[in-house]
Amino acid sequence: MTNPITPQSLLQQIAHITHMERGKLCVLRDGPQGPYYNHQTWEKGKNVARYVPQDQVPSVQQAIAGYEQFQSLTEQYAQLIIQKTRAELAAGAKKKTLRQNSSWPKTRKSTS
């Protein structure tokens, strides 16, 4: 039996993501010691590419996976909250706001 997904459980999963990076890891070319990598991402409307040393490739891959997990979890969270909001609206649970009466007496406008 699996636990139901709740907004709180999703937020806890999000809080456990320790590393994130946007973009993707690309192979530039193969060299004598193996492939050369760069990390490409969009920053301020521009494509930015950074060289990634071979020893850092697993860490960057893990950070990219962390961001993808974050995106997935936040989408699930949003869907749960949207469903809850729609259910409350359909059930009439949302309270109507009362218009405050003014302390000023109402006067009729003249028809002149």
Side-chain angles (χ1 to χ4, degrees), residues 98-104 106:
L98 296 175
R99 202 182 99 188
Q100 249 184 350
N101 292 333
S102 173
S103 60
W104 290 88
K106 287 190 175 182

Side-chain angles (χ1 to χ4, degrees), residues 13-109:
Q13 290 178 53
I14 290 168
H16 284 94
I17 299 172
T18 57
H19 296 90
M20 284 192 269
E21 185 64 75
R22 290 185 177 110
K24 64 181 181 175
L25 202 58
C26 303
V27 176
L28 292 173
R29 66 180 182 277
D30 286 319
Q33 283 84 31
Y36 291 98
Y37 292 91
N38 76 347
H39 171 241
Q40 293 183 346
T41 187
W42 284 93
E43 292 180 5
K44 299 180 183 177
K46 294 184 180 181
N47 186 16
V48 178
R50 296 179 186 94
Y51 172 75
V52 179
Q54 283 183 336
D55 62 331
Q56 293 180 8
V57 168
S59 298
V60 173
Q61 287 173 328
Q62 185 178 11
I64 292 170
Y67 183 71
E68 290 171 356
Q69 182 185 13
F70 171 79
Q71 290 289 95
S72 173
L73 291 170
T74 55
E75 179 60 33
Q76 290 177 51
Y77 178 82
Q79 286 301 320
L80 284 177
I81 299 302
I82 289 168
Q83 289 172 358
K84 178 183 171 213
T85 302
R86 289 179 181 169
E88 288 174 356
L89 289 172
K94 184 138 175 123
K95 294 181 180 177
K96 293 182 180 178
T97 57
L98 296 175
R99 202 182 99 188
Q100 249 184 350
N101 292 333
S102 173
S103 60
W104 290 88
K106 287 190 175 182
T107 58
R108 296 190 93 174
K109 293 183 180 180

